[in-house]
Amino acid sequence: MRNRIALFLLFVAALVLVPAAFAGEGDMGGRLEAEQGGQTVVLPVLKTEIEADIQGDLATVTVTQTFANPSDEPVHARYLFPLDPVAAVFEMVMEVGGERIRAQIQEVKQAERTFAKAKSEGRAAALLKEHRPNLFTQDIANLMPGLPITTRLRYVQAVPKVDGEYELVVPLVVGPRFQPPHAGRPPAGGVQEHDDLPPVAGSWEVEQLPKYPPAFGVNLPAAIEPERVALSARIDGGVVVQGVASRTHSLDVQALSERVRTVKLAAGRVIDNRDFVLRYRLAGAATDAGVLAYRDARGGFFSLLIEPPLVPAEADVTPREMVFLLDCSGSMAGLPIDASKAFMVQALVKLRPTDTFRIIRFSDSATEFSEFPLPATRQNIARGLAYVESLDGEGGTMMSSGIEQALAPPTPAGSVRIVTFLTDGYIGNELEILSLIKRRLDGARLYAFGVGTGVNRYLLDEIGRAGRGFTRYMDPTENVAEVAAELTQRLQSPVLTDIEVDWGGLAPAQLHPAEIPDLFAGGSVRVQGRYARPGLYNITVKGLVHGREARLPLTVKLPEHSADGEAVALVWARAAIREAMGELATPNGMAEPPAFSAVKQRVTDLGLAFSLVTKWTAFVAVSEQVYNANPSATRTLPVPLPMVKGTQPGAYPNQAPFTGAAGPEPATWLGLGVLGLLGFWTLRRYAPVNAGAGR
C-alpha cells in the first residue's frame, strides 16, 4: 500500500511540477547564463511576432518584440536587428505592466536624452534607432524580472517585382561586418567615413556601429531556443492571387477567396537565422504601368509603377567583357562559396562566342585568373572552371581592392563591360564602396548577386543601383544549381533603356529616383513624386527597346482628398530619404561638411514631418510608472543572436568574450529536485519489500 502511495505521489509530481517548471522556457526561451568580465550574467530573451498585410504591391508590416528577463535582477537590454532597407518605420508602441505608451518621434540626440533620463529614474523605456538603412537597435531600460516589455513596430514598403513575381523580404538576422583597417582615418585634404553612415572629419559627430552581440555557436552554446519567431501574412491582390510560395521557409497557405490568401509558417515558429522571402503573382494585373495617389494636409503624393514591355529576342548581340568578381573572404567559407562556384559553372558555360571574360577573387587582397580578358573558347572556359573550383573562403573583406581590379583596366574596344559581383556584403564601410563604384564605373554595368541566407541587402541593393544594373539573391541552402541557372539567365541586356516620362501638365516635384534606371525582363521600377494640383493628366512613358523608341501613354487621376492610402506618402518620404543618403557617397569620395549638413537637415525634417525613423530621428517611449528602485546599479546586456544559417564560426572573428551555457529555470531545478527526492524515498521504501519477497 505504501509503495502505491509513493508511486502515485511521484506521478502527481511529474504531472504538476515539471510542466510548471518548464512553462517559462516554453513561453520565452528559458535561461541563458554567460560569463562577462569574470561574472555570471543571465542574458535577456526575446520572442518576435511578424504580421504582413499586403494590398496589391504595398505591404504594411507589424513587428512585435517581447523582451523578458529570466534573472532575479533588473537589466537593461539591447537588441540588434534588421529591417528591409526600404522599410518606412512610422509607428512604435510600448506595453509594460498595465501601461500602453505610444512612442514619440524625436531628433536622435533628443531621443537619447529622453531615454537616458527615463532609464536613470527607473522607468521602463524603449529607444528605436537606425544605424544603417537595414540595421536597427532597440534599447530597453529597466527590464524587470517577471515583467516583460513589448514593443510593436509598424512599417510600410512597396513590394518589388522580381523576375515576374512580387517578392516581399522580411530580414530576420544580422550578419557580421568586416571593417577595413583604414576606415575612420580621414585622408589628407578629404573626408572619410567612420564606423557608421555619417562621414566624419575634425569635430564632426562620430557614432560607433553597435557592437555585435554574442552569437549562438560562436561564443555561446549552439543550442539556441528553436521558436524565436512567428510570421504570418495576408495577401489581398485586388485581382486573382497565384503562386504563393517561399524558397526559404515551408508555408501553410489558405485561400479565403480568389483574391485573398493567408500565409503562415508551417512550423508555427522558427529560429531567426535566415531571411524570410515570400513570392506571389497577381493574375490580370496591369503589365505596363500604374499609378497610386494620396493627398492630405502635407500635399499630394503619387507612385508610378513601370514594367517593361514584351519584346522579341535581341537580334544584334553586342560583344561583352564579362568580369566575374568573387568574394572569397572568411564569411563566405562553406555553403556560400559552394553556391558561388555553382553560379560560375552556369555563367561560364553560357558565355557567348563573341564574349571575353575575366575572373577576380578577393579577400585580404585581390588576384586575377588571367593577365588580360580571355576569349570565351571551350579551352579557356575549362581553365576558368578549374580555377573557380580551387577557390576557398578565408581572410578579411577588402572589397575595394576587388572593385578596383574589376573596373580600373580599360574596356576592350567595341565591347560593353558587365561586372557580376558575388558577395554576402558583410562589411562596415558601405559608403566608401559606393563612392568607388560611382568613380570607376565609366560605362560599365554592375550586377550584384547576394550569396547567403542573411546578407547585407542595403549594400547589395545600392551596388545594383550605383552600377546601373540590378541585384539578385542566391540562398546557398537551396538547390544551388537550379537557382544559379535561373540567375545566369538574367545576365542579358536590359529590355527598356533611357527611360523618361513626359509629365504633360502635371508638373511633379521632388521625383525619386532622380534618374530612372534601366528595366530588365520580369522587373519593374517605381517613380515617386509630389503633385500640387489634383485632376486628370495625360502622361507618356518613353524609352528604347533594342535601340528603337517605345512609348506608353497613360491617363492619371490625382485626387483632391484621400480617405486612405497614406502608405503612398510614407513610401515617397522613405524614397526621398534614401535618395538624400545616397548623396553622401559622391564619385570623389565622402560628401564635404556643407553637403553633409544639408543632407542631415533634409533627412531630419522628413523624419519629423512623416514620423519616420531615420539616421537622425528615433522613436522613444517612456512609462509613467517607476519600476526599478536602483537603476544606477543595473547593467546593460545584449539579446544574443543566432549565427547566420550556412556561415561558419570563422565569419565572426572579433566577438566579445562571452561564454556560457543554457540551462533550465530555477523552478525547473526545483521540480526536478522534488522528483528526485520522491524517487529516492520510493526506492528506499520499495527495496525492503522486494528483498523480503525474495527470501
Side-chain angles (χ1 to χ4, degrees):
M1 183 66 181
R2 286 177 299 179
N3 295 335
R4 292 194 185 99
I5 293 173
L7 289 171
F8 176 76
L9 291 173
L10 187 63
F11 176 73
V12 170
L15 286 179
V16 177
L17 292 175
V18 172
F22 280 92
E25 287 189 297
D27 291 340
M28 285 302 300
R31 181 182 180 97
L32 181 68
E33 294 183 351
E35 294 295 324
Q36 183 188 36
Q39 292 184 310
T40 299
V41 297
V42 179
L43 296 178
V45 295
L46 167 72
K47 284 204 172 179
T48 303
E49 316 280 338
I50 301 173
E51 300 176 19
D53 181 11
I54 304 170
Q55 303 287 328
D57 66 344
L58 285 175
T60 302
V61 182
T62 303
V63 181
T64 303
Q65 301 166 338
T66 302
F67 299 86
N69 176 6
S71 73
D72 55 4
E73 296 180 355
V75 298
H76 309 307
R78 165 168 280 199
Y79 177 45
L80 179 68
F81 68 101
L83 290 176
D84 194 283
V86 300
V89 185
F90 67 94
E91 181 180 276
M92 184 176 87
V93 174
M94 181 183 76
E95 295 181 3
V96 55
E99 298 185 74
R100 185 178 188 275
I101 304 101
R102 186 181 182 89
Q104 302 297 312
I105 194 76
Q106 297 179 358
E107 292 191 36
V108 70
K109 296 300 181 185
Q110 178 59 47
E112 289 171 345
R113 289 191 291 269
T114 302
F115 179 79
K117 182 174 183 292
K119 185 177 179 180
S120 67
E121 294 172 346
R123 303 180 192 276
L127 174 66
L128 178 67
K129 294 170 57 179
E130 174 190 303
H131 296 272
R132 296 285 200 275
N134 64 334
L135 184 59
F136 293 73
T137 53
Q138 181 72 270
D139 283 286
I140 301 294
N142 299 306
L143 181 62
M144 306 300 291
L147 188 66
I149 293 178
T150 296
T151 61
R152 188 167 289 107
L153 322 176
R154 296 181 70 209
Y155 68 84
V156 297
Q157 70 166 92
V159 184
K161 200 169 189 180
V162 179
D163 301 337
E165 297 181 310
Y166 293 95
E167 182 179 270
L168 176 70
V169 178
V170 181
L172 295 179
V173 63
V174 177
R177 295 292 189 269
F178 176 83
Q179 192 71 12
H182 65 270
R185 293 199 299 269
V191 176
Q192 174 67 46
E193 67 172 335
H194 197 268
D195 202 24
D196 212 341
L197 273 175
V200 296
S203 61
W204 285 18
E205 60 182 346
V206 176
E207 182 176 6
Q208 297 290 335
L209 188 71
K211 195 171 189 178
Y212 198 89
F216 293 96
V218 179
N219 44 17
L220 287 176
I224 182 175
E225 197 273 329
E227 298 183 338
R228 284 166 56 109
V229 174
L231 196 149
S232 62
R234 184 180 188 275
I235 306 171
D236 185 344
V239 295
V240 176
V241 179
Q242 298 177 334
V244 179
S246 172
R247 281 179 165 176
T248 60
H249 293 76
S250 297
L251 300 180
D252 178 6
V253 181
Q254 301 292 328
L256 302 186
S257 70
E258 286 188 337
R259 299 183 175 190
V260 179
R261 297 286 189 277
T262 60
V263 177
K264 63 181 180 180
L265 298 174
R269 305 188 71 93
V270 295
I271 299 173
D272 48 339
N273 63 350
R274 67 188 304 176
D275 293 342
F276 173 81
V277 181
L278 175 69
R279 282 195 167 194
Y280 61 95
R281 296 191 304 274
L282 298 180
T287 57
D288 295 319
V291 175
L292 298 172
Y294 174 79
R295 184 178 172 88
D296 62 13
R298 294 168 294 195
F301 307 86
F302 69 87
S303 177
L304 170 65
L305 181 69
I306 307 172
E307 299 185 3
L310 297 175
V311 295
E314 186 175 6
D316 300 320
V317 177
T318 303
R320 305 175 301 177
E321 183 203 32
M322 302 295 292
V323 183
F324 299 99
L325 180 57
L326 279 68
D327 182 349
C328 293
S329 61
S331 63
M332 293 287 289
L335 291 180
I337 199 72
D338 292 342
S340 296
K341 292 178 181 180
F343 176 90
M344 289 298 298
V345 169
Q346 297 287 338
L348 288 174
V349 299
K350 289 179 181 177
L351 290 175
R352 302 168 182 167
T354 55
D355 291 339
T356 59
F357 73 95
R358 299 160 57 202
I359 304 173
I360 302 166
R361 49 82 57 207
F362 72 89
S363 53
D364 292 322
S365 60
T367 56
E368 190 160 348
F369 165 58
S370 58
E371 294 182 8
F372 46 81
L374 296 177
T377 64
R378 183 177 300 177
Q379 294 81 5
N380 286 337
I381 289 173
R383 289 174 54 207
L385 289 172
Y387 173 74
V388 168
E389 182 57 35
S390 71
L391 299 177
D392 204 353
E394 58 183 356
T397 312
M398 300 300 294
M399 190 175 288
S400 57
S401 66
I403 293 173
E404 287 275 11
Q405 185 86 359
L407 296 176
T411 304
S415 297
V416 59
R417 172 174 287 166
I418 294 179
V419 180
T420 303
F421 187 6
L422 291 93
T423 179
D424 53 23
Y426 288 162
I427 62 167
N429 58 322
E430 287 102 328
L431 279 185
E432 178 187 340
I433 296 303
L434 298 176
S435 294
L436 177 61
I437 290 171
K438 292 177 181 179
R439 183 167 66 252
R440 290 292 196 184
L441 196 62
D442 189 30
R445 294 189 184 279
L446 202 160
Y447 300 81
F449 287 78
V451 185
T453 58
V455 301
N456 185 354
R457 288 177 179 264
Y458 158 63
L459 175 63
L460 272 292
D461 288 350
E462 290 301 313
I463 286 176
R465 285 191 356 138
R468 299 191 306 164
F470 60 65
T471 302
R472 293 293 186 273
Y473 295 93
M474 182 162 56
D475 187 333
T477 65
E478 300 179 30
N479 184 330
V480 292
E482 178 183 324
V483 175
E486 293 177 8
L487 292 179
T488 52
Q489 287 297 110
R490 300 298 167 189
L491 289 177
Q492 55 187 317
S493 297
V495 173
L496 191 64
T497 65
D498 303 288
I499 303 171
E500 59 182 40
V501 181
D502 180 351
W503 297 101
L506 196 157
Q510 300 177 15
L511 291 171
H512 306 293
E515 184 177 342
I516 303 175
D518 295 339
L519 258 177
F520 297 83
S524 63
V525 63
R526 188 178 289 275
V527 180
Q528 320 278 353
R530 303 193 67 166
Y531 68 91
R533 298 189 309 275
L536 282 174
Y537 295 94
N538 295 317
I539 67 174
T540 304
V541 180
K542 303 176 183 179
L544 297 179
V545 177
H546 297 166
R548 299 187 296 272
E549 184 175 329
R551 301 166 63 89
L552 176 65
L554 292 170
T555 299
V556 177
K557 183 178 181 180
L558 303 179
E560 174 72 41
H561 301 288
S562 303
D564 53 22
E566 187 184 7
V568 176
L570 297 174
V571 169
W572 172 86
R574 186 60 181 162
I577 291 166
R578 181 184 187 184
E579 197 95 351
M581 297 301 288
E583 295 176 15
L584 295 181
T586 71
N588 297 322
M590 299 302 105
E592 296 297 328
F596 172 75
S597 297
V599 167
K600 179 178 179 180
Q601 189 60 55
R602 201 183 334 154
V603 170
T604 301
D605 291 344
L606 285 165
L608 295 176
F610 291 86
S611 190
L612 296 179
V613 177
T614 72
K615 181 64 192 172
W616 295 292
T617 54
F619 272 129
V620 62
V622 177
S623 71
E624 291 288 337
Q625 185 174 335
V626 173
Y627 291 94
N628 186 2
N630 190 17
S632 61
T634 301
R635 71 178 85 195
T636 298
L637 296 174
V639 175
L641 299 183
M643 191 164 56
V644 179
K645 184 177 180 65
T647 62
Q648 298 181 356
Y652 301 76
N654 299 313
Q655 292 306 289
F658 271 89
T659 58
E665 297 280 7
T668 303
W669 293 118
L670 176 62
L672 293 175
V674 172
L675 284 174
L677 288 173
L678 284 171
F680 174 73
W681 179 78
T682 300
L683 290 173
R684 259 192 92 192
R685 302 291 295 177
Y686 190 57
V689 175
N690 281 340
R695 288 194 298 269

